[in-house]
Each structure stands twice: as C-alpha cells, then as structure tokens.
Amino acid sequence: MRWAALLSLAVLVPWMHATAAPVAEGVRIEGSEPPEHIRASRPRLALVIDDLGQNPHRDQRVLQLPGPVALAILPDTPHATSLANKANSVGKTVMLHLPMAPAGGPYAWRPGLADEELQRRLDEALQAVPHASGLNNHMGSEMTGRPSAMLALMSELQRRHLFFLDSRTNARTVAAASAQRVGLASLSRDIFLDDDPSPAAVALQFQRALALARQQGSVVIIGHPHPSTLALLERELPRLEAAGIDWVDIGQMIATRSNRAMAAHGRNGIYR
C-alpha cells in the first residue's frame, strides 16, 4: 500500500525523535539550509486547499486544477462525502480537515472531552470523508497547543496509517512535534496564501512561496477556495514547470522532507 510504505519512513530516521541528543557546543547547526538531497534537485511545492465540501461550484474548480492538489474536506459540510468520492476517482489526494477548538460542531476536537468522545468524533469524521490519506487541523489554536491531546491523536493516526499536516494556526503548536515524536509521517505548513483574500495579497503570497521554495528547497502551501485564490492558481500553476518548480503531491513532499522541521519551525530538523 503506497501510504503504508510512506508512513513507515519516519521510523527509519533515528535523529528525528524528540529526545535527540543536544548538539555539542561549536558544532554547526543544520536547518538554516536544506539537506543536500533537497538542494541537489529542483525546488518542490505541495499545495493543499482547505475548507472544501461547502460549495459545489468552487469544489469543482479545485478538482479541475491540473496537478497534484490535495483536497482538505470539512466533515460537517453537505458535500463532504460526494466530493471525497469524486476526488479519489480522479486521483487527487483526499484529506480530512478536522475541526479543532475554537471550532465547534459534532466532529470538533475540544478541550475537556473524554478520550472516548475524541475517538468517536475522529471515527465519524473519517466516515464522512472517505478515502482520506491523512488530515490537517481546521482552526485549532486552542487544541494544537495541548501536548496530551496531540500525542494521542498522532498515535492514533500512526495506528491507522494516516499522515498529519500541521496547519500551524497556533504559534505555540505542538502538533508537528508530537507527530515527529511518535515517528508519524507529517508536514508543517509554510505559507497561507490567502489570510488576506484580495487578489494583490494572494499574488504576493504566491511569489513569497516560490521564493521560499528556492531558498529552502521545498514549500508547503495552504489555500482556501476564495475566488481570488482559485483564479491565481488556475493562472499560475501551469507556469511552475517553466519557473523551475516541481509541483509534487503530499506523499512526495513527506519523503522529500523526511519529517524534518524547516528552519522557521525548529532547529537541527527537530520541531520546537
């Protein structure tokens, strides 16, 4: 199974355990530049579109993007299951966009819920979004900073052979560090395209993403189905090849980064 093999790669990389030995004084710290195997290849870009399942017209525009876009689908939307089935049928990566506090709703992970209830909500969310290869957090600033909850989630995703993408909605997130600790195949978001959805701001963020890919060897982008974002992606994604950027799927990006934290998110490959 493609994803099962991919998810086992972290176990083979001993340095990434959270209890890695401290670096001796005077030794050069890695992380300010990409590893050699990344720098030797063309810069790589992975793209995830969040908050899908609400609007069939916009969902269809995402499905029609030409390359390996990953679709992060909210489980409590009216078109979640049908969109997941369509995306799978055309070979797109399906992700569960799991609500986390301060998000509410029947699937949301929230502080104070019993472990059994959190498990039930995850089970039902994955049923609502079939074919999910992994998940990322929707909102979550109140939840992703909680070590016990995040460690429990990552251990469960490891058991299910699912990957995790930390949307990094909280500057104090421990989600990626928890995933790294258990050896779960995981990534962290580098760039949000459209916190400001104005066309000029989205265009600027996209150029920043390309610059970051060239600087550190890879970039993980999250966008949303705003009209301005979709218009930019429809125009710019076909130009990536000519710009010297390889657009890769999430699985390839996990393998590329080998669960390393980029310099903005950690030190010596270990998440802060």
Side-chain angles (χ1 to χ4, degrees):
M1 180 179 177
R2 176 170 67 95
W3 281 104
L6 179 64
L7 291 164
S8 67
L9 68 89
V11 179
L12 304 177
V13 187
W15 57 259
M16 72 183 179
H17 195 279
T19 57
V23 178
E25 186 175 356
V27 175
R28 187 177 68 84
I29 300 299
E30 296 180 2
S32 59
E33 59 184 22
E36 181 64 34
H37 75 283
I38 296 177
R39 285 187 283 116
S41 63
R42 283 158 47 110
R44 292 182 173 183
L45 175 152
L47 172 66
V48 178
I49 304 297
D50 278 356
D51 294 355
L52 297 174
Q54 305 179 82
N55 182 303
H57 173 69
R58 293 181 185 177
D59 293 346
Q60 186 62 32
R61 287 180 70 181
V62 175
L63 278 175
Q64 290 174 342
L65 291 174
V69 60
L71 285 75
I73 302 172
L74 288 163
D76 51 354
T77 53
H79 308 287
T81 301
S82 60
L83 176 59
N85 286 328
K86 288 178 184 177
N88 181 68
S89 71
V90 297
K92 302 292 189 185
T93 296
V94 176
M95 296 172 57
L96 167 63
H97 197 33
L98 181 65
M100 293 187 188
Y107 304 104
W109 275 43
R110 300 187 60 83
L113 294 176
D115 290 346
E116 294 78 8
E117 176 62 13
L118 294 175
Q119 177 68 46
R120 185 189 68 78
R121 291 181 177 211
L122 178 61
D123 286 339
E124 293 188 357
L126 287 167
Q127 291 173 20
V129 183
H131 313 293
S133 299
L135 64 85
N136 68 331
N137 53 291
H138 171 61
M139 301 179 69
S141 59
E142 290 180 21
M143 203 69 189
T144 56
R146 295 176 175 259
S148 60
M150 291 300 98
L151 188 59
L153 175 61
M154 303 313 160
S155 298
E156 181 60 21
L157 297 182
Q158 182 77 299
R159 186 184 72 81
R160 293 172 182 262
H161 303 295
L162 300 174
F163 70 83
F164 180 76
L165 167 63
D166 190 348
S167 301
R168 304 195 75 87
T169 57
N170 176 2
R172 295 184 175 88
T173 178
V174 296
S178 299
Q180 194 177 61
R181 181 176 176 184
V182 303
L184 177 69
S186 59
L187 291 167
S188 274
R189 182 270 309 166
D190 296 303
I191 296 283
F192 271 130
L193 274 183
D194 44 21
D195 282 340
D196 177 349
S198 67
V202 174
L204 179 59
Q205 284 297 92
F206 189 75
Q207 292 306 313
R208 286 175 172 166
L210 298 188
L212 185 59
R214 295 184 178 106
Q215 175 187 333
Q216 66 182 17
S218 64
V219 67
V220 177
I221 302 173
I222 292 179
H224 300 82
H226 302 304
S228 56
T229 303
L230 295 176
L232 176 130
L233 294 175
E234 289 162 350
R235 181 179 71 249
E236 297 296 336
L237 290 175
R239 301 175 179 175
L240 288 176
E241 174 68 23
I245 304 288
D246 287 338
W247 182 12
V248 302
D249 65 25
I250 291 291
Q252 289 174 286
M253 187 60 78
I254 290 173
T256 293
R257 290 193 170 181
S258 301
N259 282 14
R260 289 182 64 89
M262 296 292 100
H265 303 146
R267 185 181 184 191
N268 200 30
I270 306 297
Y271 285 100
R272 286 189 289 268

mmCIF file of all heavy atoms in Angstrom, residues 96-142:
data_model
loop_
_atom_site.group_PDB
_atom_site.id
_atom_site.type_symbol
_atom_site.label_atom_id
_atom_site.label_comp_id
_atom_site.label_asym_id
_atom_site.label_seq_id
_atom_site.Cartn_x
_atom_site.Cartn_y
_atom_site.Cartn_z
ATOM 1 N N LEU A 96 -8.838 14.713 5.444
ATOM 2 C CA LEU A 96 -9.842 15.158 6.404
ATOM 3 C C LEU A 96 -9.375 16.474 7.007
ATOM 4 O O LEU A 96 -8.260 16.563 7.523
ATOM 5 C CB LEU A 96 -10.018 14.110 7.501
ATOM 6 C CG LEU A 96 -10.807 14.545 8.742
ATOM 7 C CD1 LEU A 96 -12.248 14.893 8.383
ATOM 8 C CD2 LEU A 96 -10.762 13.451 9.811
ATOM 9 N N HIS A 97 -10.210 17.483 6.917
ATOM 10 C CA HIS A 97 -9.920 18.782 7.541
ATOM 11 C C HIS A 97 -10.645 18.783 8.881
ATOM 12 O O HIS A 97 -11.808 19.170 8.984
ATOM 13 C CB HIS A 97 -10.406 19.899 6.613
ATOM 14 C CG HIS A 97 -9.839 21.241 6.916
ATOM 15 N ND1 HIS A 97 -8.568 21.443 7.417
ATOM 16 C CD2 HIS A 97 -10.375 22.500 6.792
ATOM 17 C CE1 HIS A 97 -8.335 22.726 7.566
ATOM 18 N NE2 HIS A 97 -9.424 23.384 7.203
ATOM 19 N N LEU A 98 -9.955 18.310 9.924
ATOM 20 C CA LEU A 98 -10.601 18.023 11.205
ATOM 21 C C LEU A 98 -10.775 19.301 12.025
ATOM 22 O O LEU A 98 -9.786 19.943 12.389
ATOM 23 C CB LEU A 98 -9.759 17.014 11.986
ATOM 24 C CG LEU A 98 -10.318 16.579 13.345
ATOM 25 C CD1 LEU A 98 -11.627 15.799 13.152
ATOM 26 C CD2 LEU A 98 -9.302 15.740 14.106
ATOM 27 N N PRO A 99 -12.019 19.657 12.356
ATOM 28 C CA PRO A 99 -12.220 20.847 13.196
ATOM 29 C C PRO A 99 -11.617 20.650 14.587
ATOM 30 O O PRO A 99 -11.721 19.577 15.183
ATOM 31 C CB PRO A 99 -13.746 20.971 13.269
ATOM 32 C CG PRO A 99 -14.260 20.193 12.098
ATOM 33 C CD PRO A 99 -13.288 19.065 11.922
ATOM 34 N N MET A 100 -10.980 21.694 15.085
ATOM 35 C CA MET A 100 -10.432 21.707 16.437
ATOM 36 C C MET A 100 -10.750 23.045 17.077
ATOM 37 O O MET A 100 -10.819 24.070 16.390
ATOM 38 C CB MET A 100 -8.919 21.479 16.419
ATOM 39 C CG MET A 100 -8.488 20.099 15.960
ATOM 40 S SD MET A 100 -6.692 19.880 16.164
ATOM 41 C CE MET A 100 -6.467 18.292 15.339
ATOM 42 N N ALA A 101 -10.930 23.041 18.386
ATOM 43 C CA ALA A 101 -11.270 24.260 19.117
ATOM 44 C C ALA A 101 -10.289 25.386 18.767
ATOM 45 O O ALA A 101 -9.091 25.128 18.661
ATOM 46 C CB ALA A 101 -11.234 23.984 20.614
ATOM 47 N N PRO A 102 -10.858 26.577 18.513
ATOM 48 C CA PRO A 102 -12.193 27.048 18.865
ATOM 49 C C PRO A 102 -13.310 26.658 17.904
ATOM 50 O O PRO A 102 -14.443 27.086 18.100
ATOM 51 C CB PRO A 102 -12.020 28.560 18.879
ATOM 52 C CG PRO A 102 -10.968 28.822 17.858
ATOM 53 C CD PRO A 102 -10.002 27.681 17.999
ATOM 54 N N ALA A 103 -13.035 25.885 16.877
ATOM 55 C CA ALA A 103 -14.113 25.408 16.002
ATOM 56 C C ALA A 103 -15.068 24.527 16.810
ATOM 57 O O ALA A 103 -14.660 23.822 17.743
ATOM 58 C CB ALA A 103 -13.537 24.617 14.832
ATOM 59 N N GLY A 104 -16.312 24.577 16.432
ATOM 60 C CA GLY A 104 -17.321 23.752 17.078
ATOM 61 C C GLY A 104 -17.891 22.730 16.124
ATOM 62 O O GLY A 104 -17.346 22.489 15.044
ATOM 63 N N GLY A 105 -19.012 22.124 16.529
ATOM 64 C CA GLY A 105 -19.672 21.146 15.683
ATOM 65 C C GLY A 105 -19.487 19.726 16.182
ATOM 66 O O GLY A 105 -18.712 19.465 17.109
ATOM 67 N N PRO A 106 -20.178 18.792 15.552
ATOM 68 C CA PRO A 106 -20.206 17.414 16.059
ATOM 69 C C PRO A 106 -18.902 16.651 15.924
ATOM 70 O O PRO A 106 -18.734 15.617 16.570
ATOM 71 C CB PRO A 106 -21.307 16.765 15.213
ATOM 72 C CG PRO A 106 -21.341 17.566 13.951
ATOM 73 C CD PRO A 106 -21.036 18.965 14.366
ATOM 74 N N TYR A 107 -17.980 17.122 15.093
ATOM 75 C CA TYR A 107 -16.715 16.409 14.885
ATOM 76 C C TYR A 107 -15.528 17.103 15.559
ATOM 77 O O TYR A 107 -14.413 16.564 15.536
ATOM 78 C CB TYR A 107 -16.417 16.296 13.390
ATOM 79 C CG TYR A 107 -17.507 15.641 12.593
ATOM 80 C CD1 TYR A 107 -18.367 16.401 11.801
ATOM 81 C CD2 TYR A 107 -17.688 14.262 12.615
ATOM 82 C CE1 TYR A 107 -19.373 15.796 11.058
ATOM 83 C CE2 TYR A 107 -18.693 13.646 11.877
ATOM 84 C CZ TYR A 107 -19.534 14.431 11.104
ATOM 85 O OH TYR A 107 -20.527 13.834 10.367
ATOM 86 N N ALA A 108 -15.735 18.265 16.131
ATOM 87 C CA ALA A 108 -14.619 19.082 16.602
ATOM 88 C C ALA A 108 -13.944 18.470 17.826
ATOM 89 O O ALA A 108 -14.607 18.027 18.767
ATOM 90 C CB ALA A 108 -15.096 20.487 16.929
ATOM 91 N N TRP A 109 -12.627 18.492 17.790
ATOM 92 C CA TRP A 109 -11.832 18.145 18.969
ATOM 93 C C TRP A 109 -11.747 19.378 19.851
ATOM 94 O O TRP A 109 -11.252 20.421 19.422
ATOM 95 C CB TRP A 109 -10.436 17.682 18.556
ATOM 96 C CG TRP A 109 -10.394 16.218 18.214
ATOM 97 C CD1 TRP A 109 -11.305 15.527 17.479
ATOM 98 C CD2 TRP A 109 -9.385 15.286 18.609
ATOM 99 N NE1 TRP A 109 -10.927 14.211 17.381
ATOM 100 C CE2 TRP A 109 -9.758 14.030 18.064
ATOM 101 C CE3 TRP A 109 -8.204 15.391 19.354
ATOM 102 C CZ2 TRP A 109 -8.986 12.885 18.255
ATOM 103 C CZ3 TRP A 109 -7.431 14.259 19.540
ATOM 104 C CH2 TRP A 109 -7.829 13.019 18.999
ATOM 105 N N ARG A 110 -12.233 19.228 21.102
ATOM 106 C CA ARG A 110 -12.303 20.354 22.018
ATOM 107 C C ARG A 110 -11.756 19.959 23.383
ATOM 108 O O ARG A 110 -11.889 18.806 23.802
ATOM 109 C CB ARG A 110 -13.745 20.856 22.154
ATOM 110 C CG ARG A 110 -14.350 21.336 20.820
ATOM 111 C CD ARG A 110 -15.712 21.977 21.015
ATOM 112 N NE ARG A 110 -15.646 23.124 21.897
ATOM 113 C CZ ARG A 110 -15.291 24.347 21.509
ATOM 114 N NH1 ARG A 110 -14.980 24.583 20.234
ATOM 115 N NH2 ARG A 110 -15.250 25.345 22.375
ATOM 116 N N PRO A 111 -11.158 20.904 24.102
ATOM 117 C CA PRO A 111 -10.673 20.610 25.448
ATOM 118 C C PRO A 111 -11.811 20.125 26.344
ATOM 119 O O PRO A 111 -12.949 20.574 26.229
ATOM 120 C CB PRO A 111 -10.126 21.958 25.936
ATOM 121 C CG PRO A 111 -9.841 22.731 24.696
ATOM 122 C CD PRO A 111 -10.862 22.294 23.691
ATOM 123 N N GLY A 112 -11.488 19.221 27.229
ATOM 124 C CA GLY A 112 -12.471 18.726 28.188
ATOM 125 C C GLY A 112 -13.239 17.507 27.737
ATOM 126 O O GLY A 112 -13.934 16.874 28.552
ATOM 127 N N LEU A 113 -13.168 17.150 26.468
ATOM 128 C CA LEU A 113 -13.857 15.950 26.001
ATOM 129 C C LEU A 113 -13.079 14.707 26.415
ATOM 130 O O LEU A 113 -11.848 14.691 26.397
ATOM 131 C CB LEU A 113 -14.019 15.973 24.480
ATOM 132 C CG LEU A 113 -14.940 17.054 23.906
ATOM 133 C CD1 LEU A 113 -14.914 16.998 22.381
ATOM 134 C CD2 LEU A 113 -16.363 16.897 24.422
ATOM 135 N N ALA A 114 -13.802 13.657 26.755
ATOM 136 C CA ALA A 114 -13.175 12.394 27.130
ATOM 137 C C ALA A 114 -12.472 11.781 25.932
ATOM 138 O O ALA A 114 -12.844 12.018 24.776
ATOM 139 C CB ALA A 114 -14.227 11.427 27.673
ATOM 140 N N ASP A 115 -11.454 10.971 26.201
ATOM 141 C CA ASP A 115 -10.712 10.317 25.121
ATOM 142 C C ASP A 115 -11.632 9.509 24.229
ATOM 143 O O ASP A 115 -11.464 9.487 23.003
ATOM 144 C CB ASP A 115 -9.636 9.396 25.705
ATOM 145 C CG ASP A 115 -8.507 10.162 26.368
ATOM 146 O OD1 ASP A 115 -8.411 11.389 26.152
ATOM 147 O OD2 ASP A 115 -7.723 9.537 27.110
ATOM 148 N N GLU A 116 -12.616 8.847 24.830
ATOM 149 C CA GLU A 116 -13.550 8.031 24.040
ATOM 150 C C GLU A 116 -14.366 8.901 23.092
ATOM 151 O O GLU A 116 -14.669 8.497 21.956
ATOM 152 C CB GLU A 116 -14.485 7.245 24.969
ATOM 153 C CG GLU A 116 -13.804 6.198 25.820
ATOM 154 C CD GLU A 116 -13.087 6.786 27.034
ATOM 155 O OE1 GLU A 116 -13.250 8.015 27.295
ATOM 156 O OE2 GLU A 116 -12.364 6.038 27.709
ATOM 157 N N GLU A 117 -14.740 10.096 23.539
ATOM 158 C CA GLU A 117 -15.506 11.002 22.681
ATOM 159 C C GLU A 117 -14.649 11.543 21.553
ATOM 160 O O GLU A 117 -15.096 11.662 20.406
ATOM 161 C CB GLU A 117 -16.087 12.150 23.504
ATOM 162 C CG GLU A 117 -16.836 13.211 22.702
ATOM 163 C CD GLU A 117 -18.063 12.698 21.976
ATOM 164 O OE1 GLU A 117 -18.508 11.566 22.262
ATOM 165 O OE2 GLU A 117 -18.580 13.429 21.102
ATOM 166 N N LEU A 118 -13.387 11.874 21.848
ATOM 167 C CA LEU A 118 -12.485 12.324 20.791
ATOM 168 C C LEU A 118 -12.312 11.234 19.739
ATOM 169 O O LEU A 118 -12.331 11.507 18.529
ATOM 170 C CB LEU A 118 -11.131 12.708 21.382
ATOM 171 C CG LEU A 118 -11.106 13.927 22.305
ATOM 172 C CD1 LEU A 118 -9.722 14.098 22.912
ATOM 173 C CD2 LEU A 118 -11.524 15.199 21.578
ATOM 174 N N GLN A 119 -12.164 10.008 20.181
ATOM 175 C CA GLN A 119 -12.022 8.884 19.258
ATOM 176 C C GLN A 119 -13.275 8.714 18.407
ATOM 177 O O GLN A 119 -13.196 8.496 17.189
ATOM 178 C CB GLN A 119 -11.745 7.605 20.043
ATOM 179 C CG GLN A 119 -11.645 6.341 19.205
ATOM 180 C CD GLN A 119 -10.426 6.345 18.318
ATOM 181 O OE1 GLN A 119 -9.338 6.674 18.770
ATOM 182 N NE2 GLN A 119 -10.596 5.996 17.057
ATOM 183 N N ARG A 120 -14.433 8.822 19.038
ATOM 184 C CA ARG A 120 -15.693 8.683 18.293
ATOM 185 C C ARG A 120 -15.812 9.775 17.236
ATOM 186 O O ARG A 120 -16.224 9.499 16.093
ATOM 187 C CB ARG A 120 -16.870 8.761 19.263
ATOM 188 C CG ARG A 120 -18.232 8.495 18.595
ATOM 189 C CD ARG A 120 -19.382 8.801 19.535
ATOM 190 N NE ARG A 120 -19.496 10.225 19.811
ATOM 191 C CZ ARG A 120 -20.046 11.104 18.971
ATOM 192 N NH1 ARG A 120 -20.524 10.707 17.793
ATOM 193 N NH2 ARG A 120 -20.129 12.383 19.294
ATOM 194 N N ARG A 121 -15.442 10.984 17.585
ATOM 195 C CA ARG A 121 -15.531 12.078 16.624
ATOM 196 C C ARG A 121 -14.569 11.875 15.450
ATOM 197 O O ARG A 121 -14.923 12.165 14.303
ATOM 198 C CB ARG A 121 -15.258 13.411 17.322
ATOM 199 C CG ARG A 121 -16.366 13.807 18.281
ATOM 200 C CD ARG A 121 -16.128 15.139 18.955
ATOM 201 N NE ARG A 121 -17.276 15.483 19.807
ATOM 202 C CZ ARG A 121 -17.704 16.708 20.074
ATOM 203 N NH1 ARG A 121 -17.058 17.749 19.552
ATOM 204 N NH2 ARG A 121 -18.735 16.914 20.833
ATOM 205 N N LEU A 122 -13.384 11.371 15.728
ATOM 206 C CA LEU A 122 -12.445 11.089 14.640
ATOM 207 C C LEU A 122 -12.986 9.986 13.742
ATOM 208 O O LEU A 122 -12.930 10.092 12.502
ATOM 209 C CB LEU A 122 -11.089 10.684 15.219
ATOM 210 C CG LEU A 122 -10.017 10.303 14.199
ATOM 211 C CD1 LEU A 122 -9.694 11.468 13.263
ATOM 212 C CD2 LEU A 122 -8.750 9.824 14.915
ATOM 213 N N ASP A 123 -13.526 8.937 14.337
ATOM 214 C CA ASP A 123 -14.095 7.834 13.557
ATOM 215 C C ASP A 123 -15.181 8.350 12.618
ATOM 216 O O ASP A 123 -15.202 8.018 11.416
ATOM 217 C CB ASP A 123 -14.701 6.774 14.477
ATOM 218 C CG ASP A 123 -13.658 5.936 15.187
ATOM 219 O OD1 ASP A 123 -12.511 5.877 14.717
ATOM 220 O OD2 ASP A 123 -14.000 5.322 16.222
ATOM 221 N N GLU A 124 -16.096 9.141 13.154
ATOM 222 C CA GLU A 124 -17.224 9.612 12.349
ATOM 223 C C GLU A 124 -16.782 10.622 11.294
ATOM 224 O O GLU A 124 -17.338 10.653 10.190
ATOM 225 C CB GLU A 124 -18.296 10.189 13.263
ATOM 226 C CG GLU A 124 -18.943 9.112 14.147
ATOM 227 C CD GLU A 124 -20.140 9.618 14.919
ATOM 228 O OE1 GLU A 124 -20.466 10.833 14.826
ATOM 229 O OE2 GLU A 124 -20.766 8.801 15.621
ATOM 230 N N ALA A 125 -15.786 11.436 11.613
ATOM 231 C CA ALA A 125 -15.274 12.379 10.621
ATOM 232 C C ALA A 125 -14.644 11.643 9.446
ATOM 233 O O ALA A 125 -14.834 12.023 8.280
ATOM 234 C CB ALA A 125 -14.265 13.317 11.268
ATOM 235 N N LEU A 126 -13.898 10.578 9.728
ATOM 236 C CA LEU A 126 -13.281 9.800 8.649
ATOM 237 C C LEU A 126 -14.331 9.053 7.827
ATOM 238 O O LEU A 126 -14.134 8.845 6.625
ATOM 239 C CB LEU A 126 -12.261 8.821 9.233
ATOM 240 C CG LEU A 126 -10.963 9.475 9.736
ATOM 241 C CD1 LEU A 126 -10.162 8.495 10.580
ATOM 242 C CD2 LEU A 126 -10.116 9.986 8.568
ATOM 243 N N GLN A 127 -15.430 8.688 8.451
ATOM 244 C CA GLN A 127 -16.522 8.084 7.680
ATOM 245 C C GLN A 127 -17.167 9.108 6.753
ATOM 246 O O GLN A 127 -17.571 8.778 5.631
ATOM 247 C CB GLN A 127 -17.566 7.500 8.631
ATOM 248 C CG GLN A 127 -17.096 6.277 9.397
ATOM 249 C CD GLN A 127 -18.081 5.827 10.453
ATOM 250 O OE1 GLN A 127 -19.272 6.167 10.396
ATOM 251 N NE2 GLN A 127 -17.606 5.082 11.439
ATOM 252 N N ALA A 128 -17.254 10.352 7.201
ATOM 253 C CA ALA A 128 -17.851 11.416 6.381
ATOM 254 C C ALA A 128 -16.956 11.819 5.225
ATOM 255 O O ALA A 128 -17.447 12.351 4.214
ATOM 256 C CB ALA A 128 -18.172 12.634 7.249
ATOM 257 N N VAL A 129 -15.634 11.597 5.380
ATOM 258 C CA VAL A 129 -14.670 11.946 4.330
ATOM 259 C C VAL A 129 -13.929 10.666 3.944
ATOM 260 O O VAL A 129 -12.805 10.423 4.393
ATOM 261 C CB VAL A 129 -13.692 13.037 4.805
ATOM 262 C CG1 VAL A 129 -12.747 13.442 3.672
ATOM 263 C CG2 VAL A 129 -14.450 14.268 5.307
ATOM 264 N N PRO A 130 -14.556 9.805 3.131
ATOM 265 C CA PRO A 130 -13.902 8.550 2.743
ATOM 266 C C PRO A 130 -12.658 8.807 1.890
ATOM 267 O O PRO A 130 -12.510 9.875 1.295
ATOM 268 C CB PRO A 130 -14.980 7.813 1.950
ATOM 269 C CG PRO A 130 -15.886 8.903 1.445
ATOM 270 C CD PRO A 130 -15.883 9.956 2.512
ATOM 271 N N HIS A 131 -11.778 7.819 1.879
ATOM 272 C CA HIS A 131 -10.547 7.830 1.071
ATOM 273 C C HIS A 131 -9.482 8.788 1.615
ATOM 274 O O HIS A 131 -8.483 9.021 0.931
ATOM 275 C CB HIS A 131 -10.835 8.188 -0.399
ATOM 276 C CG HIS A 131 -11.979 7.461 -1.001
ATOM 277 N ND1 HIS A 131 -11.951 6.095 -1.231
ATOM 278 C CD2 HIS A 131 -13.200 7.893 -1.413
ATOM 279 C CE1 HIS A 131 -13.104 5.725 -1.764
ATOM 280 N NE2 HIS A 131 -13.878 6.793 -1.892
ATOM 281 N N ALA A 132 -9.674 9.328 2.826
ATOM 282 C CA ALA A 132 -8.674 10.248 3.368
ATOM 283 C C ALA A 132 -7.361 9.520 3.627
ATOM 284 O O ALA A 132 -7.331 8.480 4.277
ATOM 285 C CB ALA A 132 -9.183 10.897 4.654
ATOM 286 N N SER A 133 -6.267 10.085 3.111
ATOM 287 C CA SER A 133 -4.933 9.547 3.353
ATOM 288 C C SER A 133 -4.294 10.165 4.588
ATOM 289 O O SER A 133 -3.289 9.648 5.088
ATOM 290 C CB SER A 133 -4.027 9.821 2.149
ATOM 291 O OG SER A 133 -4.529 9.212 0.986
ATOM 292 N N GLY A 134 -4.844 11.281 5.037
ATOM 293 C CA GLY A 134 -4.301 11.974 6.190
ATOM 294 C C GLY A 134 -5.226 13.106 6.571
ATOM 295 O O GLY A 134 -6.333 13.223 6.032
ATOM 296 N N LEU A 135 -4.777 13.936 7.497
ATOM 297 C CA LEU A 135 -5.628 15.033 7.929
ATOM 298 C C LEU A 135 -4.790 16.236 8.329
ATOM 299 O O LEU A 135 -3.592 16.134 8.587
ATOM 300 C CB LEU A 135 -6.561 14.610 9.060
ATOM 301 C CG LEU A 135 -5.983 14.184 10.408
ATOM 302 C CD1 LEU A 135 -5.703 15.386 11.314
ATOM 303 C CD2 LEU A 135 -6.957 13.261 11.124
ATOM 304 N N ASN A 136 -5.460 17.383 8.358
ATOM 305 C CA ASN A 136 -4.896 18.588 8.946
ATOM 306 C C ASN A 136 -5.961 19.260 9.786
ATOM 307 O O ASN A 136 -7.144 18.922 9.711
ATOM 308 C CB ASN A 136 -4.315 19.536 7.888
ATOM 309 C CG ASN A 136 -5.361 20.167 6.999
ATOM 310 O OD1 ASN A 136 -6.428 19.591 6.750
ATOM 311 N ND2 ASN A 136 -5.073 21.342 6.470
ATOM 312 N N ASN A 137 -5.523 20.170 10.652
ATOM 313 C CA ASN A 137 -6.451 20.805 11.576
ATOM 314 C C ASN A 137 -7.143 21.998 10.937
ATOM 315 O O ASN A 137 -6.521 22.798 10.242
ATOM 316 C CB ASN A 137 -5.730 21.239 12.858
ATOM 317 C CG ASN A 137 -4.504 22.102 12.613
ATOM 318 O OD1 ASN A 137 -3.504 21.622 12.107
ATOM 319 N ND2 ASN A 137 -4.586 23.376 12.993
ATOM 320 N N HIS A 138 -8.447 22.088 11.183
ATOM 321 C CA HIS A 138 -9.237 23.266 10.831
ATOM 322 C C HIS A 138 -9.342 24.119 12.081
ATOM 323 O O HIS A 138 -9.854 23.680 13.106
ATOM 324 C CB HIS A 138 -10.628 22.841 10.352
ATOM 325 C CG HIS A 138 -11.583 23.989 10.181
ATOM 326 N ND1 HIS A 138 -11.353 25.023 9.301
ATOM 327 C CD2 HIS A 138 -12.777 24.260 10.773
ATOM 328 C CE1 HIS A 138 -12.361 25.877 9.354
ATOM 329 N NE2 HIS A 138 -13.235 25.439 10.249
ATOM 330 N N MET A 139 -8.834 25.339 12.006
ATOM 331 C CA MET A 139 -8.695 26.203 13.184
ATOM 332 C C MET A 139 -7.759 25.485 14.171
ATOM 333 O O MET A 139 -6.682 25.067 13.774
ATOM 334 C CB MET A 139 -10.062 26.581 13.750
ATOM 335 C CG MET A 139 -10.947 27.309 12.720
ATOM 336 S SD MET A 139 -12.594 27.773 13.272
ATOM 337 C CE MET A 139 -12.232 29.049 14.462
ATOM 338 N N GLY A 140 -8.119 25.384 15.444
ATOM 339 C CA GLY A 140 -7.316 24.563 16.343
ATOM 340 C C GLY A 140 -6.367 25.308 17.257
ATOM 341 O O GLY A 140 -5.550 24.678 17.935
ATOM 342 N N SER A 141 -6.450 26.630 17.324
ATOM 343 C CA SER A 141 -5.490 27.350 18.157
ATOM 344 C C SER A 141 -5.617 26.994 19.636
ATOM 345 O O SER A 141 -4.652 27.112 20.387
ATOM 346 C CB SER A 141 -5.648 28.860 17.966
ATOM 347 O OG SER A 141 -6.958 29.278 18.291
ATOM 348 N N GLU A 142 -6.808 26.535 20.066
ATOM 349 C CA GLU A 142 -6.978 26.116 21.457
ATOM 350 C C GLU A 142 -6.572 24.668 21.676
ATOM 351 O O GLU A 142 -6.409 24.246 22.817
ATOM 352 C CB GLU A 142 -8.441 26.291 21.891
ATOM 353 C CG GLU A 142 -8.896 27.723 22.033
ATOM 354 C CD GLU A 142 -10.351 27.807 22.475
ATOM 355 O OE1 GLU A 142 -10.862 26.812 23.032
ATOM 356 O OE2 GLU A 142 -10.975 28.853 22.245
#
